[in-house]
Amino acid sequence: MVAGPPDLRAGHPDRGGSVRPERVAARVVTAGRAELDTVRDWVVNAASSVPHNQAGELMKMPIVSRGVARLSEVMLKSNGELNAIGANIAQIGAEYSALSVQKFGSEPTR
């Protein structure tokens, strides 16, 4: 099982660290593309190994079905990870917005 994206709040200034959301997202996209390349290679290799006749054509259907199922898994996983990154970014944004209304010290008395 592959771990999901890191919690970007670890890069929040109050928490130390410097996780860059665009870099995390780029890694998710790159990993997804690599997985899709692997799926494509598997489908092409498997389909090219069947006989070139009617029986071979029937053998291609399960190959295509498995490839499409794997493609769907990769897309769902990548989409989920990118949504999690987006949620982390939104939470960081909300934390920064909350800081804009923060009061320092006590109100002067009149």
Side-chain angles (χ1 to χ4, degrees), residues 38-76:
T38 300
V39 171
R40 181 191 61 225
D41 292 345
W42 179 84
V43 169
V44 168
N45 291 334
S48 67
S49 70
V50 302
H52 297 286
N53 56 27
Q54 189 174 10
E57 291 300 314
L58 292 174
M59 293 169 72
K60 288 180 184 177
M61 292 305 294
I63 293 169
V64 171
S65 179
R66 184 171 169 194
V68 168
R70 184 67 186 119
L71 178 132
S72 179
E73 291 170 9
V74 171
M75 297 299 292
L76 286 172

Side-chain angles (χ1 to χ4, degrees), residues 21-46:
E22 69 276 10
R23 289 185 183 162
V24 176
R27 284 193 297 261
V28 169
V29 170
T30 300
R33 285 180 180 165
E35 288 183 67
L36 291 175
D37 286 343
T38 300
V39 171
R40 181 191 61 225
D41 292 345
W42 179 84
V43 169
V44 168
N45 291 334

Side-chain angles (χ1 to χ4, degrees), residues 2 17 26 35-36 46 57 72 77-78 94 97 101 106 109:
V2 176
E35 288 183 67
L36 291 175
E57 291 300 314
S72 179
K77 180 180 136 214
S78 295
S97 292
V101 295
S106 59
T109 57

Side-chain angles (χ1 to χ4, degrees), residues 72-93:
S72 179
E73 291 170 9
V74 171
M75 297 299 292
L76 286 172
K77 180 180 136 214
S78 295
N79 188 50
E81 290 177 357
L82 291 170
N83 284 337
I85 292 168
N88 281 334
I89 291 170
Q91 183 164 354
I92 292 168

Side-chain angles (χ1 to χ4, degrees), residues 6-20 92 95-96:
D7 183 355
L8 297 179
R9 289 174 295 159
H12 189 285
D14 292 341
R15 293 175 179 89
S18 62
V19 176
R20 305 268 316 250
I92 292 168
E95 290 173 9
Y96 278 114

